[in-house]
Amino acid sequence: MKKGIVGASLLAMVLVASQPLTMAHAADAIPTPVVTDTTATPASQLTISGAGELKKLDTLDLNTVINLALNDSYNLALLQLKYKVLDQQNASLGVNLVDLNNSFNIQAGNGSPVLHVPSDNNSGTDSGVNGDDPQSGSVTTVSPALKAANTVSAQADEPTPAPTTDNSGSGSAGAAATDPADPADPGTPAPEPSKPDPSDAYEQQLKELQNAVGKISDGLNKSAAAQNTQLETSRKTLEKNINNLDTQKENTELQINEAKEGIKLGMTGQYVQLLASQKQVQLSKDYIDVLTRDVQRAQTLQSLGSGTQEDIDKANRALLAEKDNLTNLEDAYQKALITISFDLGIEYNPNIQLTDIDVTVEPVAKKNVDSILSSSYQVQTLANGIVQAQWEEDNQDKNAANSFDEQATKANTEIARQQLSQGKIDLAKSIESSYTDADTAYKSVVTAQRTVSDVTLDNTNMQIRYNAGVVTKYDFDKFQYQVHVDQVKQDLAKLQFYVQQAKVQAMENGYIAASSSSAAAGASGGSSAASAG
């Protein structure tokens, strides 16, 4: 990593790399294609352009539905790609941080000076300008002009040798020799004016040179300090972005697991809805047979003089109304079949066989709410928000931030804590509601089973009376239809209970769905045929 990266280009790169991705949430529903005409388009033509070849299936069961959904989920694949991108960005920022520390000798959490230039203006040789300091690891600059000035100063500071005297003479001659400038001696000439000492000029030049070098040193040191500050800021920015990416990676991994559980639950509800629609279609067809016999009976009675045209008209109106209802039920079934076919990436087959679900009817054991909350993906994501906010508060740059920034950071941490508290309350409500829905669905199954048991016994007695000739064929067939209605209601109640079981299981695995059981709404509903019996 080159030193030039400490400028605006480094900060720009860091900010771009740290931008979060905007992704669809894990629990988002899979997009449903719009089909305008389900009857005129042959099955072989119901393909998606650019989606590849669709699988062809003649039968469909719940396990196949879930496996195909997990392997063909757009949102799940998108989340997995998002996690991969975050992982690569995290690794890239980690390399940048290592390069920054190595290139400028900045260790994590402890910055050291990049450049050291002596600023002592009064020292020519002891200011550290003659070489690098191996202990401090700092880089020193040696000015050629300063080297020359130091040389001149060394020469000027050498001691001047003392004058020599001739002691060979004696008496006044010797005294005259030792004191040539004696004013008492009339023959002594006047002293000459003193000349400027060259060493004084050298000293002045040296001081000026040292002052100039000192100013340069001060400027370089200030520049080095500013550079250190910028590098430290860049390092803290990198550390913050790396921490943010770590949190995003953890949340994305939670979203992936949450999406898998959400897909399982969603496709379970969708397949149950499809089964319920199929059973309602068949029940409506059976009811049409009953109403057709009613019309025939009314016509026979009229021909025998025991009935009226009004009876025939009422029977016909009831028959036509149920045929309209059958058309609506068949359209709803085919629409649901087309939707699930596109969601699973299979070819639409209007005659595909659906495998029924084996439902185990037993009460749902209730687990501790706190343990469910602790393993919830939503709660773990909110807890990560607290950890991230607390890290930003603890690692805030105290020098750059003012009191308002510090208060805002503390407020963000408190907001994260409040969000976790409120989230736990909302999720606890959903948990209790899910257990209540499961218990209600279980009781509905028990009631439906008791009804079927009773009507089965009544059917046995009806068969005996019919064989004895006490009951007509018309009444016997109509009672057989009522038995079938009660059996279908029991099947629908079991399907609804199965969805609630799956919802509780997903909740205990970490995915807490909304309290309303919209996925099972269709399973609890019946056609007019079911209520007409």
Side-chain angles (χ1 to χ4, degrees), residues 68-124:
L68 289 174
L70 290 175
N71 295 329
D72 198 54
S73 171
Y74 170 79
N75 286 339
L76 185 58
L78 199 62
L79 286 170
Q80 290 171 342
L81 288 175
K82 176 185 176 182
Y83 182 86
K84 184 177 181 180
V85 170
L86 291 173
D87 188 57
Q88 295 299 319
Q89 287 181 335
N90 196 330
S92 176
L93 290 181
V95 171
N96 290 343
L97 181 60
V98 172
D99 290 344
L100 186 66
N101 290 335
N102 292 339
S103 297
F104 298 100
N105 195 24
I106 296 180
Q107 301 300 326
N110 181 20
S112 62
V114 175
L115 181 64
H116 173 73
V117 179
S119 59
D120 186 0
N121 296 340
N122 298 322
S123 175

Side-chain angles (χ1 to χ4, degrees), residues 321-531:
E322 187 58 32
K323 286 183 178 180
D324 292 339
N325 181 59
L326 176 61
T327 300
N328 294 332
L329 291 174
E330 288 178 334
D331 290 345
Y333 171 76
Q334 293 300 326
K335 181 179 180 180
L337 182 59
I338 291 174
T339 299
I340 199 171
S341 297
F342 278 109
D343 290 344
L344 301 179
I346 63 176
E347 185 179 281
Y348 165 65
N349 181 3
N351 300 318
I352 195 169
Q353 300 296 317
L354 302 181
T355 304
D356 212 341
I357 299 176
D358 186 17
V359 182
T360 301
V361 181
E362 58 184 12
V364 176
K366 187 175 180 180
K367 291 187 176 181
N368 182 266
V369 175
D370 290 335
S371 64
I372 296 176
L373 287 174
S374 62
S375 61
S376 167
Y377 299 124
Q378 296 98 314
V379 170
Q380 293 181 58
T381 300
L382 292 173
N384 286 341
I386 294 180
V387 174
Q388 176 66 24
Q390 187 65 55
W391 185 93
E392 292 181 359
E393 179 180 346
D394 296 338
N395 292 272
Q396 188 177 31
D397 189 352
K398 304 300 181 182
N399 296 324
N402 53 42
S403 59
F404 298 103
D405 293 334
E406 294 178 1
Q407 293 299 323
T409 305
K410 292 180 180 179
N412 287 333
T413 305
E414 184 61 28
I415 289 174
R417 291 195 179 97
Q418 291 293 335
Q419 289 175 339
L420 176 61
S421 299
Q422 185 61 43
K424 285 184 176 181
I425 294 174
D426 296 338
L427 292 174
K429 293 179 183 178
S430 297
I431 292 172
E432 294 292 348
S433 179
S434 296
Y435 278 125
T436 301
D437 292 342
D439 184 63
T440 301
Y442 170 75
K443 292 177 181 178
S444 298
V445 174
V446 172
T447 301
Q449 288 177 330
R450 185 174 62 251
T451 301
V452 170
S453 178
D454 293 341
V455 77
T456 300
L457 179 60
D458 294 341
N459 186 49
T460 301
N461 296 331
M462 178 65 73
Q463 183 71 46
I464 294 174
R465 288 194 293 270
Y466 174 72
N467 293 336
V470 178
V471 178
T472 64
K473 180 71 166 58
Y474 170 80
D475 292 334
F476 178 74
D477 290 341
K478 199 163 188 178
F479 191 82
Q480 292 295 313
Y481 170 74
Q482 183 59 48
V483 173
H484 180 54
V485 168
D486 290 335
Q487 290 174 342
V488 171
K489 287 182 178 180
Q490 176 187 250
D491 293 340
L492 295 177
K494 285 184 176 180
L495 289 176
Q496 182 183 12
F497 177 64
Y498 186 83
V499 172
Q500 295 302 326
Q501 283 180 317
K503 186 177 178 182
V504 170
Q505 184 62 47
M507 179 179 68
E508 294 175 352
N509 290 341
Y511 176 77
I512 302 177
S515 58
S516 59
S517 54
S518 58
S524 62
S527 65
S528 60
S531 59

